[in-house]
Amino acid sequence: MHILILLSVLLVLVLAGIMLQATQPFRPGDYLRVNNEFGRVTRRALLHTQIQTETSDFTTLPNLLLVNSPITVLHREGTIITSTLSLGYDIDYRDVEPLLLDAATQAGLEEPFVLVDELLDHAVSYRVCGFLPETK
C-alpha cells in the first residue's frame, strides 16, 4: 500500500516536470518570481528547477510548486520596464509626456509610452513604459 502511494506521488511530480517541459513558460537564463522567491533560472530538470538568487545562492524549487503557483517570468531576451511618477496638477500633461518619453529613450527603452495611471488628491500619477531588448 505504501509503495502505491509513493509511486503515485512520484508520478505527480514527474507529470509536473513534463508539463513544464511541454509548455515551456520559462527557460534557463530567464528570471522567475514564485511566492517569495526570485532569481535567474540556472537549471530545469524533471523534478525540480534551480534558480540563482540576488545573493548568488542557489535555490531548488519543486516543479509541482511551479505548476500550482502563479509565477512571474522576466524573459532574458527583453521585457517591458515601467516607472511611476506623481506630479502636481499645476504641471500640464502636455509638458510631462515628452519629458518622460525622452527619459525612457535615454534609458535605452524602445517604443516608450506614457499612461496617466491614477488621479490622486493632490497629484497625477504617470506611468512611463518601454521595451528593454536586453535584460543583461
Side-chain angles (χ1 to χ4, degrees):
M1 185 65 164
H2 294 309
I3 293 175
L4 288 175
I5 293 172
L6 184 62
L7 286 175
S8 62
V9 169
L10 184 61
L11 179 64
V12 168
L13 293 174
V14 169
L15 287 176
I18 292 171
M19 184 175 155
L20 285 178
Q21 192 69 15
T23 59
Q24 298 215 357
F26 55 86
R27 299 184 314 244
D30 291 344
Y31 292 88
L32 182 72
R33 180 182 310 279
V34 59
N35 295 338
N36 294 330
E37 301 293 333
F38 176 78
R40 186 176 58 86
V41 177
T42 57
R43 184 170 183 256
R44 189 174 67 191
L46 191 59
L47 298 177
H48 67 277
T49 297
Q50 186 179 55
I51 63 171
Q52 185 175 20
T53 65
E54 295 116 338
T55 58
S56 297
D57 296 330
F58 289 95
T59 302
T60 301
L61 303 172
N63 286 339
L64 191 57
L65 171 73
L66 300 175
V67 169
N68 288 325
S69 301
I71 60 173
T72 302
V73 178
L74 182 72
H75 293 290
R76 64 180 166 188
E77 63 268 352
T79 189
I80 293 178
I81 301 293
T82 67
S83 183
T84 304
L85 172 70
S86 297
L87 297 171
Y89 283 105
D90 58 327
I91 302 173
D92 193 334
Y93 173 77
R94 291 171 291 206
D95 296 332
V96 173
E97 183 179 23
L99 293 172
L100 290 176
L101 290 173
D102 186 47
T105 302
Q106 288 184 28
L109 300 180
E110 296 176 358
E111 302 175 31
F113 57 95
V114 176
L115 303 170
V116 174
D117 198 33
E118 190 175 1
L119 299 175
L120 304 169
D121 289 339
H122 303 292
V124 178
S125 176
Y126 299 95
R127 182 180 306 175
V128 59
C129 310
F131 183 75
L132 182 66
E134 181 62 46
T135 58
K136 290 183 182 179

